Amino acid sequence: MEGGHYLVTLTFYGGINEIGGNKVLLEDNGTRIFLDFGMSFGRRALFFEEFLTPRSANGIGDFLTMGLIPDIPGIYRPDLLSHFGRKPKDADIQAVLLSHAHADHANYISFLHRDIPVYCGETCKYILEAVEEQSQRTMENEVLSFKKRPVYRCDYKTPPEKRTFHTFRTGDTLKIDSLEIQPIHVDHSVPGAYGFLIHTSEGTVVYTGDLRMHGLHSEMTMEFLETARETKPIAMVTEGTRINVERTNESEEQVYAESKQTIADNKKLSIVDFNFKDVDRFTTFYRIARDVGKTLVINFKHACFLERYHRDIKLRTPDSKDDNIRILKPKRLTGTYIDEDYSEYYIKRRLNYPNIITADDLLRHPGQYMVVLNFWYFNMMVDLQPQGGIYIHSLSEPFNEEMEISFDRMHNWLNHFQLQFVQSHCSGHICGPDLEELITGINPKELYPIHTEHPELFEQLPMKTTIVQEGKTYKL
Ligand SMILES: [Zn+2]
């Protein structure tokens, strides 16, 4: 690498001093790719909340003006720019590498020019499909496909435009112009998560995405570590969500053990709440249901995920029509469960499943069932009458004010129905000591921490560490 005629740079647009929202631009001699293009919940919450939202009537304008996305020419959809009164440009980015399907890494792909292809894992794409199937279209969740704006009444029936996706598996090598990229699976709280080794003209750049070492598949993260180390990387862009957290005994197996005993002893209804994108957590509760002889009850949205997971043989998950699974039909419109009450396609096309039940069925033998019920569906407790049962909160504890408010409200529901509260969770993110082990193991020349509220804690590591600034370009 002599002569100095190569020029590789990194520019950071999101996920800086905050958890999530990664948008890292890597340039190598005119090839430009983004590492993730996520939505930052933190930044959005600075200005917006439930009833105060960015307007789709202004195209991309509210998002650009309020700094939710960076103002870069040649990356956004022409329809959104024109709608805002800007002159559209051709796409000037060769690819987005998407590490995994969490919204804070994927969702603002929604705004990107359709000529920019997206590269992601096969299972990651399945999850994006499951999300699309069950979601109302908004400008912030048009990852796989989008409706050209503005949408006039006469356009309602026009099908959406599809984005180009290229899927990969671990072991594949991607070629994007002069760049060669190795995606390597990592363990995270969603399947289909990858880190990337990007071989540039100056050397290898490592990008971690989100990962952990204490999950069920730590061997995947170790494989990432080993392979990355061998490339003697010149730079590493790392997540740092929990750099300030010490190692604990948290594990998926512990969630299993803690929850199993409580559920086995419970003669009333058991309610569990976890994120269905986390297939390991699903497997934990599915295992518990089988091991204690109860039936797991999910909803139609969960069925969308389960049917995609089932397609990936490696995940070894049951189909949504499995003997040990029931799908709970919600009350809509007339409250009488007639077919015409259901207008959403993801429910309508599943109404003929053999394993659909209603709250009335559950009331006959509540001790027989474990219901997956997320907070947003707590009003169904009125039908479920879970008095005296248990509620297992298998999610992280609240870490901001909004979550605290919801958490209090959640407890009001639990108290109202005299439900016993049990907290049992293990994080999707690597803790401080493990992260130190990962970084010193990979041993990059330079370190760029992002996706963290504590970048300064990385400065004690034995390599050149840069605390990045928004929009600034760093030469490698
Ligand atoms: Zn994530």
Side-chain angles (χ1 to χ4, degrees):
M1 309 291 162
E2 67 242 47
H5 53 281
Y6 299 115
L7 187 57
V8 178
T9 61
L10 289 172
T11 314
F12 299 86
Y13 291 105
I16 297 158
N17 305 333
E18 63 194 354
I19 308 285
N22 295 11
K23 301 172 202 71
V24 182
L25 177 62
L26 182 145
E27 300 187 63
D28 182 2
N29 286 302
T31 303
R32 288 149 52 89
I33 62 170
F34 267 109
L35 312 176
D36 288 334
F37 207 84
M39 146 182 193
S40 165
F41 291 99
R43 207 166 296 196
R44 193 182 186 281
L46 286 177
F47 304 107
F48 299 105
E49 55 174 79
E50 195 181 356
F51 295 111
L52 173 58
T53 54
R55 299 163 301 170
S56 54
N58 195 29
I60 205 165
D62 289 12
F63 297 91
L64 276 179
T65 307
M66 301 315 290
L68 301 191
I69 46 174
D71 199 346
I72 309 170
I75 70 169
Y76 294 120
R77 279 162 47 187
D79 60 310
L80 295 181
L81 288 167
S82 307
H83 196 182
F84 180 46
R86 288 265 190 105
K87 226 179 128 173
K89 288 208 163 64
D90 290 342
D92 190 20
I93 296 276
Q94 280 64 49
V96 177
L97 302 183
L98 174 58
S99 63
H100 62 287
H102 281 151
D104 61 334
H105 291 256
N107 270 39
Y108 280 2
I109 287 173
S110 306
F111 299 107
L112 294 179
H113 201 297
R114 79 172 272 188
D115 290 347
I116 304 172
V118 179
Y119 293 75
C120 71
E122 260 173 44
T123 308
C124 175
K125 171 108 187 291
Y126 286 155
I127 295 170
L128 295 172
E129 285 168 8
V131 172
E132 184 177 80
E133 188 189 350
Q134 61 185 257
S135 306
Q136 284 267 26
R137 184 176 290 282
T138 75
M139 275 177 57
E140 290 171 283
N141 67 8
E142 302 196 290
V143 180
L144 292 174
S145 68
F146 61 87
K147 280 268 206 179
K148 267 194 181 167
R149 307 296 152 107
V151 184
Y152 294 101
R153 200 166 287 273
C154 59
D155 302 325
Y156 283 4
K157 292 240 156 85
T158 318
E161 306 223 2
K162 280 194 162 53
R163 250 175 242 290
T164 306
F165 270 75
H166 300 288
T167 58
F168 54 71
R169 282 205 161 267
T170 200
D172 291 351
T173 301
L174 318 173
K175 270 208 74 100
I176 298 166
D177 288 355
S178 62
L179 292 173
E180 225 179 70
I181 296 145
Q182 281 175 272
I184 299 178
H185 53 199
V186 294
D187 190 30
H188 185 39
S189 48
V190 63
Y194 290 80
F196 296 105
L197 308 181
I198 304 144
H199 304 297
T200 74
S201 50
E202 295 282 2
T204 303
V205 176
V206 177
Y207 176 57
T208 62
D210 286 352
L211 43 64
R212 62 180 169 186
M213 283 185 179
H214 60 268
L216 286 178
H217 310 284
S218 53
E219 77 286 351
M220 300 200 300
T221 305
M222 291 316 285
E223 193 184 321
F224 175 69
L225 188 162
E226 299 297 337
T227 321
R229 185 214 318 260
E230 284 161 24
T231 66
K232 298 195 167 41
I234 54 165
M236 172 169 173
V237 179
T238 184
E239 76 126 312
T241 315
R242 298 207 306 158
I243 182 68
N244 58 330
V245 176
E246 283 304 313
R247 200 177 271 140
T248 63
N249 59 351
E250 64 179 329
S251 70
E252 201 57 44
E253 205 47 49
Q254 205 199 353
V255 174
Y256 171 83
E258 283 171 358
S259 306
K260 181 182 165 184
Q261 206 43 55
T262 322
I263 291 169
D265 295 343
N266 179 33
K267 306 272 183 290
K268 305 272 179 66
L269 188 67
S270 302
I271 296 178
V272 295
D273 189 354
F274 61 90
N275 188 335
F276 226 85
K277 277 188 190 168
D278 186 344
V279 77
D280 295 335
R281 192 58 44 82
F282 164 79
T283 305
T284 293
F285 284 109
Y286 178 71
R287 254 178 79 200
I288 292 175
R290 294 183 59 144
D291 292 352
V292 306
K294 299 197 183 198
T295 303
L296 192 66
V297 182
I298 63 174
N299 68 28
F300 284 102
K301 288 194 172 185
H302 300 149
C304 300
F305 282 108
L306 210 48
E307 286 160 29
R308 262 72 176 208
Y309 293 154
H310 190 58
R311 276 192 225 158
D312 184 339
I313 295 162
K314 276 166 79 184
L315 296 179
R316 297 208 240 155
T317 47
D319 185 44
S320 60
K321 296 176 197 154
D322 182 80
D323 281 348
N324 247 6
I325 288 178
R326 300 287 181 277
I327 301 176
L328 183 60
K329 203 172 180 183
K331 272 188 185 164
R332 290 283 160 82
L333 302 179
T334 68
T336 58
Y337 301 116
I338 48 171
D339 282 2
E340 64 179 65
D341 281 351
Y342 303 92
S343 54
E344 301 101 317
Y345 186 62
Y346 76 93
I347 297 184
K348 259 164 73 175
R349 60 175 284 232
R350 292 181 172 85
L351 284 174
N352 60 349
Y353 281 19
N355 57 338
I356 289 176
I357 56 171
T358 65
D360 298 332
D361 300 321
L362 289 182
L363 287 177
R364 270 175 238 132
H365 308 283
Q368 274 293 115
Y369 297 101
M370 287 168 61
V371 183
V372 185
L373 191 71
N374 308 116
F375 175 63
W376 311 113
Y377 300 89
F378 265 24
N379 49 14
M380 290 182 78
M381 280 198 200
V382 175
D383 306 334
L384 293 171
Q385 302 172 34
Q387 277 84 349
I390 56 161
Y391 168 80
I392 298 181
H393 186 256
S394 196
L395 295 158
S396 54
E397 288 171 85
F399 50 81
N400 62 39
E401 215 178 314
E402 270 177 50
M403 290 172 83
E404 295 277 2
I405 295 170
S406 294
F407 204 68
D408 288 346
R409 196 170 278 133
M410 177 193 87
H411 274 289
N412 293 340
W413 280 89
L414 303 182
N415 293 338
H416 187 85
F417 288 103
Q418 300 122 46
L419 284 161
Q420 183 199 340
F421 173 80
V422 180
Q423 169 71 27
S424 187
H425 181 58
C426 109
S427 171
H429 294 278
I430 191 165
C431 64
D434 286 354
L435 184 51
E436 234 178 279
E437 190 186 319
L438 179 83
I439 294 166
T440 50
I442 291 175
N443 193 28
K445 252 202 228 145
E446 288 185 49
L447 186 65
Y448 295 88
I450 58 168
H451 202 294
T452 178
E453 287 170 335
H454 303 283
E456 75 288 348
L457 293 180
F458 288 85
E459 285 183 310
Q460 51 200 318
L461 292 167
M463 67 262 317
K464 189 184 163 212
T465 299
T466 304
I467 309 251
V468 299
Q469 284 173 41
E470 178 93 28
K472 197 171 158 186
T473 298
Y474 299 87
K475 226 173 120 178
L476 300 185

